Amino acid sequence: MIDLDSLCRTARSLLAGSLVALVLASAPAEARRPAGPFIETLSAADKREFEAWLKAQTFYEADLDAFWDKVEAKRAQRRKKKAAEQVVTSSDYVTTQPPEYKGPSLAKRLAEAWSAYQKVDDAATPVEPPDEIPTVDQYLATAKSQYGFVPERVAEREFKQRYAREALRLGLSKDQVVRVYALETGGLGTADMQAGIHPIKRTGKPISSAMGYAQLLNANSIGELVKNGGDFLERLRAMARAASTPPERRKRLEEKIAALEKMIARVRRVKNEWGSHVAFARTLPGQGVHAINIDGDIGPWLQVIKLKGIKDLADRKGVTNLDPTALELMNLAGPSTGLEMMTSVGLKMPTVNFFARRGYYRNSVVRGRTSEGLMAALKERMDQNMKNSGAIEFAAVFDELLTGTSRAARN
């Protein structure tokens, strides 16, 4: 096994030899171009300040890389123990938070110049553009071009009604659904809300593919369609056959069925495992699937059945009466990981043990907490967001349906 602490010490000694070596070495992880040419443009004072900052950043990045390597090694160790049905203990986790940067800061003027330098491309140092996360409009355009699918939009309150009816049909409670919605969307979310985009102002930039009331990832949409696509088709066909369905509505349903059949045939050619679904989600055919979340018929079914799958797993593992915070933890971290976080050992462990490095830093509620602290933070955010207009409306929709059901039962 690699001794990560020794590896880090070796990196430190190699880098500390001279500033020349430092300049020639790789810059911090976010840098795309070597620092040498930039340093040559600086005055003597700026050069000293920048080199001190870059040296501290380089050491910090080495420490951070070693820390996350240790996290991954511990995670792999836990997987092996679970597969062998061995007991997982606190020694199988990283028990500290990530190292914090304590070095010098860079003056705003220099930081802006360094950032601008990173964005400049030339033949000698080509810069690859970052992977762009598709927007809702791009998902819609891809769905149409790949499958001829155009989601049928319904009013927001109608979407909530369909979502609530489906949730009650499958045994989910008002609190479970509405509080997850409040956490995932800030209590303001729309059927086409994407992570990073304000649902009302429509400002911001996508930070992930997460979409809808339950914020399903693109890979989630693919996985759920693989498992439940046949049921979705049968329900759509029954709706199209119903004598009460108007001709124009029947035509739209038939078009939807044809497009969904193409999607299902395509996703079932992909290996049915999470990693393959993630990879497929990066392709145009995979991205086209994600638009089903917005459809007034399929979207509520898809998202509710994802939440129901989480509840079913918890039931199978002996975690009954799943409260909304626990349900959201499993939705956020992944069902199996969420259950692990709620064990007596997992509750006390830092959240770094349960999230990939990029996801950890992308989600502010996760950072710097233990599993127990994360659950408390989720509950607090739910409490706050339940006061927002979307959550209030969603709760009212449930109340109307539950009152109607109770009245019907009495009659």
Side-chain angles (χ1 to χ4, degrees):
M1 181 180 291
I2 296 174
D3 185 340
L4 297 175
D5 292 333
S6 174
L7 186 63
C8 185
R9 287 194 297 271
T10 301
R12 282 178 176 273
S13 65
L14 289 173
L15 288 168
S18 69
L19 287 177
V20 173
L22 180 62
V23 169
L24 295 176
S26 297
E30 71 274 10
R32 295 175 181 273
R33 303 181 69 198
F38 175 75
I39 291 175
E40 294 305 314
T41 68
L42 302 178
S43 67
D46 284 349
K47 183 176 181 180
R48 286 192 297 271
E49 178 182 343
F50 182 81
E51 287 178 338
W53 173 82
L54 183 59
K55 180 178 180 180
Q57 285 284 325
T58 304
F59 287 159
Y60 169 66
E61 289 292 338
D63 287 344
L64 206 56
D65 287 345
F67 175 86
W68 282 99
D69 285 346
K70 187 175 182 180
V71 169
E72 289 303 319
K74 291 282 189 178
R75 184 173 291 140
Q77 180 177 310
R78 292 198 304 278
R79 287 196 199 102
K80 289 181 180 179
K81 292 187 74 169
K82 291 173 190 174
E85 297 185 348
Q86 297 174 354
V87 176
V88 174
T89 67
S90 59
S91 64
D92 297 311
Y93 294 91
V94 170
T95 57
T96 59
Q97 300 290 353
E100 296 181 8
Y101 177 69
K102 298 180 179 179
S105 59
L106 200 60
K108 182 179 179 181
R109 173 180 52 82
L110 269 179
E112 289 175 348
W114 174 239
S115 178
Y117 168 78
Q118 292 302 306
K119 296 175 183 177
V120 177
D121 190 9
D122 57 46
T125 56
V127 178
E128 293 185 7
D131 291 336
E132 291 292 333
I133 299 168
T135 64
V136 167
D137 286 344
Q138 288 171 317
Y139 284 121
L140 293 172
T142 305
K144 186 174 183 179
S145 65
Q146 294 289 317
Y147 303 107
F149 179 76
V150 178
E152 188 174 352
R153 303 289 192 112
V154 297
E156 205 63 42
R157 188 178 182 88
E158 174 65 18
F159 198 96
K160 286 185 173 72
Q161 288 172 339
R162 296 182 185 189
Y163 202 105
R165 280 196 294 269
E166 185 69 7
L168 294 173
R169 186 182 76 86
L170 293 180
L172 293 169
S173 72
K174 166 190 166 182
D175 276 353
Q176 286 173 327
V177 173
V178 180
R179 287 178 70 82
V180 166
Y181 164 87
L183 190 286
E184 289 286 355
T185 74
L188 295 168
T190 54
D192 61 353
M193 177 182 170
Q194 185 174 5
I197 307 297
H198 193 283
I200 307 302
K201 299 176 183 177
R202 301 291 175 174
T203 55
K205 185 177 181 180
I207 60 173
S208 84
S209 63
M211 190 183 297
Y213 291 178
Q215 290 288 278
L216 266 63
L217 298 173
N218 197 164
N220 291 137
S221 298
I222 293 164
E224 293 304 321
L225 192 59
V226 170
K227 289 186 288 185
N228 303 292
D231 290 339
F232 295 166
L233 283 175
E234 285 305 310
R235 294 179 71 174
L236 291 172
R237 288 168 182 151
M239 292 163 67
R241 289 193 302 264
S244 59
T245 301
E248 185 59 33
R249 167 70 163 152
R250 181 175 293 111
K251 179 182 177 183
R252 289 198 301 269
L253 284 168
E254 289 170 349
E255 291 170 349
K256 193 180 301 187
I257 290 166
L260 194 63
E261 286 174 335
K262 293 178 185 177
M263 287 187 191
I264 294 169
R266 183 64 185 85
V267 297
R268 286 182 175 170
R269 286 158 47 193
V270 178
K271 189 174 182 181
N272 191 16
E273 61 178 17
W274 177 251
S276 298
H277 294 163
V278 170
F280 183 57
R282 298 191 188 104
T283 68
L284 290 178
Q287 290 170 10
V289 169
H290 204 33
I292 60 178
N293 279 278
I294 299 172
D295 185 79
D297 292 315
I298 304 170
W301 303 342
L302 178 75
Q303 294 181 47
V304 169
I305 209 166
K306 172 67 165 58
L307 296 180
K308 178 62 162 53
I310 293 173
K311 181 178 179 293
D312 289 345
L313 175 63
D315 287 343
R316 291 196 299 272
K317 297 295 184 179
V319 182
T320 56
N321 299 319
L322 196 67
D323 68 69
T325 305
L327 177 62
E328 171 53 32
L329 181 68
M330 294 174 70
N331 189 45
L332 175 66
S336 296
T337 300
L339 284 175
E340 181 183 354
M341 294 175 77
M342 289 186 284
T343 63
S344 58
V345 176
L347 276 170
K348 305 299 181 184
M349 294 299 126
T351 53
V352 293
N353 291 282
F354 309 105
F355 293 87
R357 181 173 179 174
R358 180 176 294 183
Y360 175 85
Y361 287 110
R362 187 174 59 203
N363 198 328
S364 61
V365 73
V366 166
R367 296 195 295 269
R369 291 188 163 96
T370 62
S371 300
E372 193 170 40
L374 175 58
M375 292 190 74
L378 293 177
K379 183 179 183 303
E380 182 180 358
R381 288 199 182 187
M382 284 179 176
D383 291 342
Q384 292 172 347
N385 295 343
M386 284 292 289
K387 302 172 186 176
N388 291 333
S389 58
I392 292 172
E393 181 182 61
F394 210 175
V397 165
F398 267 94
D399 289 341
E400 290 168 7
L401 292 173
L402 289 167
T403 302
T405 301
S406 176
R407 186 182 298 116
R410 288 196 302 271
N411 293 338

